[in-house]
Amino acid sequence: MAGLDYEDEKWDEFLEQLSVKDMRRLIGMGGYKTSALKSINKGATSDVDGPAGINAIVNGESGVTHVTEVVLASTWNRELARAMGESLAAEADAYAIDGIYAPAMNIHRSPFGGRNFEYYSEDAYLSGEMAEAEVSAIRDYGKYCYLKHFAMNDQETSRAGIAVWANEQSMREIYLKPFETAVKEGGATAMMSAFNRLGTTWCGANSTLLQMVLRDEWGGRGMVITDYDGAAYMNVDQGIRAGNDLMLSTTGDMPTDTSNTAKQAMRRASHNILYTVVNSDAGAYTYVYKMPGWMKILIAADVVIVLLAAGLIIRGKKKRAAKIIVESGIVE
């Protein structure tokens, strides 16, 4: 499927091999990876943070720390941005990593922004040019970048669910412009939607942003993943209908609606995910998922707590039964 146009009719034939179970797993289990699917002989892929160096929270890999993006952008040097992209991609290749949650490219609205170190600058043109150089270099290595956080996530404090308001001109000329440049000129095939709302609609369920602007106007092809899936308003069924394809969840957040329209939305989301993956070098090796130590400890602790709780419940029931027997006069 690699190299085929997104609209190629062979995609329909290919997607017919996916069951609803396959699609639910592919969409819902997107935390730092995409899932393996036997039905289409797809292996698992590995995705990692980050904007200033490989930082694999789940599989434990940690790479060289590069300069932050604001320092990189301060050079006004596209060649350095490309060199940083090449360095990140080469290291990802050495660790058998396919996707990088980077670059981060929102706008510095204030010098006190909590994510400013991770974003390029206050200037839309400069941010776009640096991002294009970095993204295209990473793509040349067969890796894919998740541009983040799409869009208008320009603060850190209370960013989960905050409602952001702006007029269309400022959005197009400032806040969306770096993403547009990276998609149109850098060839980015993945995006990470933001925690915040645009108006009253969560970015991951905003079809105007993810479908009309990203796909229809900019010609973007590929997948959109959520930011970390931990908030109640991040609804997977709404997301896949609006153009958000993958849930960044390590425990699973599968679509629950199985109506015909839901199945079509799942199919479209699966198409977007697989388009990104097959047009990378993800098939060059097999990624073996290793459960991190912290997750093993957490599972063990959960098991111990459940067993202790069960023991206390059983013990409590036995005491209650004995009391009833004594009170009934059956035994003294």
Side-chain angles (χ1 to χ4, degrees):
M1 302 303 294
L4 292 181
D5 186 79
Y6 181 86
E7 305 292 346
D8 194 294
E9 61 184 16
K10 289 184 179 179
W11 273 106
D12 288 330
E13 183 180 344
F14 182 66
L15 294 169
E16 282 298 315
Q17 299 175 76
L18 295 176
S19 66
V20 172
K21 182 179 179 181
D22 286 335
M23 294 189 291
R24 291 181 73 244
R25 178 175 177 79
L26 183 62
I27 292 164
M29 294 293 293
Y32 305 97
K33 67 184 179 72
T34 65
S35 296
L37 297 175
K38 291 183 179 179
S39 59
I40 55 172
N41 197 31
K42 178 193 176 299
T45 61
S46 175
D47 297 337
V48 299
D49 281 319
I54 300 300
N55 181 23
I57 296 173
V58 171
N59 67 22
E61 304 290 2
S62 182
V64 173
T65 299
H66 294 69
V67 298
T68 58
E69 289 183 14
V70 63
V71 173
L72 181 65
S74 297
T75 69
W76 291 68
N77 191 321
R78 284 174 44 86
E79 292 181 4
L80 283 179
R82 182 169 181 83
M84 180 168 160
E86 291 173 346
S87 179
L88 284 169
E91 192 164 30
D93 202 49
Y95 283 129
I97 289 164
D98 305 294
I100 305 174
Y101 295 160
M105 45 200 299
N106 289 106
I107 294 297
H108 295 185
R109 293 185 65 246
S110 160
F112 303 108
R115 276 289 176 103
N116 280 2
F117 70 96
E118 208 171 68
Y119 298 147
Y120 289 112
S121 77
E122 72 281 10
D123 183 84
Y125 178 78
L126 175 60
S127 297
E129 290 297 302
M130 301 303 280
E132 183 277 326
E134 188 174 343
V135 168
S136 60
I138 292 171
R139 280 206 70 202
D140 287 347
Y141 269 76
K143 311 299 175 184
Y144 46 88
C145 295
Y146 293 88
L147 312 180
K148 65 180 190 180
H149 307 86
F150 192 56
M152 299 180 70
N153 183 138
D154 303 316
Q155 69 180 65
E156 184 66 13
T157 302
S158 303
R159 70 186 180 120
I162 190 172
V164 176
W165 303 85
N167 62 35
E168 184 176 355
Q169 182 176 1
S170 67
M171 291 174 68
R172 289 187 178 277
E173 293 182 359
I174 302 173
Y175 302 108
L176 301 184
K177 195 65 178 179
F179 295 97
E180 181 181 5
T181 302
V183 170
K184 288 183 175 180
E185 299 178 20
T189 58
M191 193 81 74
M192 179 182 288
S193 60
F195 276 131
N196 58 282
R197 293 176 168 91
L198 287 183
T200 59
T201 305
W202 166 49
C203 287
N206 194 311
S207 60
T208 302
L209 179 69
L210 303 182
Q211 192 60 49
M212 189 184 81
V213 174
L214 174 60
R215 270 77 178 236
D216 299 342
E217 291 189 16
W218 297 351
R221 293 293 178 264
M223 64 172 140
V224 176
I225 191 173
T226 65
D227 206 330
Y228 191 79
D229 183 14
Y233 63 85
M234 298 170 75
N235 183 285
V236 59
D237 294 309
Q238 292 177 348
I240 57 175
R241 282 172 165 81
N244 196 111
D245 313 297
L246 193 62
M247 305 302 289
L248 204 169
S249 172
T250 53
T251 55
D253 187 5
M254 283 72 158
T256 57
D257 187 351
T258 55
S259 65
N260 184 57
T261 55
K263 291 174 184 176
Q264 294 304 312
M266 283 188 263
R267 181 188 176 98
R268 183 170 57 251
S270 298
H271 186 178
N272 292 334
I273 296 167
L274 294 171
Y275 181 84
T276 298
V277 172
V278 300
N279 286 294
S280 70
D281 69 352
Y285 38 71
T286 301
Y287 170 67
V288 180
Y289 174 73
K290 296 179 181 178
M291 185 178 291
W294 65 265
M295 191 174 289
K296 293 178 182 178
I297 293 171
L298 185 61
I299 292 171
D302 288 342
V303 171
V304 171
I305 291 170
V306 169
L307 291 175
L308 287 173
L312 291 172
I313 291 170
I314 293 170
R315 185 179 178 185
K317 286 183 177 180
K318 285 182 177 179
K319 285 185 176 181
R320 175 64 176 165
K323 183 178 179 182
I324 291 172
I325 292 171
V326 170
E327 289 176 350
S328 67
I330 298 173
V331 294
E332 294 183 358

